[in-house]
Amino acid sequence: MVDYTLARRSAISSLRRGRLDTSDVCDAHPELLRAAKNIGDAVPGQCPICSHESLRWVRYVYGDELKRDSGRVVYPAAWLSELASAHDSFTCYLVEVCVDCAWNHLVRSYMAGRRYQALASHPSSRGRR
Ligand SMILES: [Zn+2]
């Protein structure tokens, strides 16, 4: 799992110091914004840019194995476990999006799929099949 907290923090501080323009960071793709508005998970806390409580999390999946599904937004949430049991390995990206000012930043990325299922599965979920 890769955590992008530091990259996020440095983007915010570059912005505050004037080394980045808000247009550099508040550039969420219209599709990403739409996904955030319609299906994003509300995140507690304020947007680092506009201070509104309008942050959402959107999950994406990428991977050659996923074929046409690569690059899609994960919706509904249960689709992720379906993908994980149908494929060996793919990458999941969690993106923070502000639906007000279009700030967006990668929060973390991690591997998912059957190869990682054994590590991730909770003891209580064992033997369900
Ligand atoms: Zn904002």
Side-chain angles (χ1 to χ4, degrees):
M1 188 176 100
V2 186
D3 195 308
Y4 294 89
T5 311
L6 283 177
R8 179 184 180 274
R9 221 175 282 157
S10 90
I12 295 166
S13 72
S14 299
L15 192 76
R16 299 233 161 101
R17 278 189 241 119
R19 283 195 279 144
L20 273 178
D21 194 74
T22 46
S23 63
D24 295 323
V25 292
C26 300
D27 58 350
H29 190 276
E31 252 176 58
L32 176 59
L33 265 184
R34 198 166 344 121
K37 269 180 202 154
N38 298 331
I39 56 146
D41 293 330
V43 186
Q46 296 179 331
C47 169
I49 311 302
C50 71
S51 308
H52 294 156
E53 295 197 6
S54 45
L55 292 176
R56 303 278 191 279
W57 274 354
V58 177
R59 281 170 182 81
Y60 276 96
V61 285
Y62 280 96
D64 293 340
E65 270 187 61
L66 301 179
K67 305 219 162 62
R68 278 183 317 169
D69 289 332
S70 181
R72 287 212 179 157
V73 170
V74 174
Y75 185 79
W79 187 49
L80 190 60
S81 32
E82 271 174 47
L83 285 178
S85 50
H87 301 280
D88 279 335
S89 141
F90 59 91
T91 312
C92 187
Y93 292 95
L94 181 63
V95 183
E96 176 183 273
V97 186
C98 173
V99 294
D100 251 8
C101 72
W103 148 261
N104 63 113
H105 206 276
L106 193 54
V107 177
R108 69 176 79 102
S109 67
Y110 55 95
M111 301 301 291
R114 283 186 296 232
R115 199 180 298 165
Y116 307 93
Q117 208 80 317
L119 302 167
S121 76
H122 195 263
S124 68
S125 66
R126 228 183 271 159
R128 261 198 297 177
R129 278 182 213 191

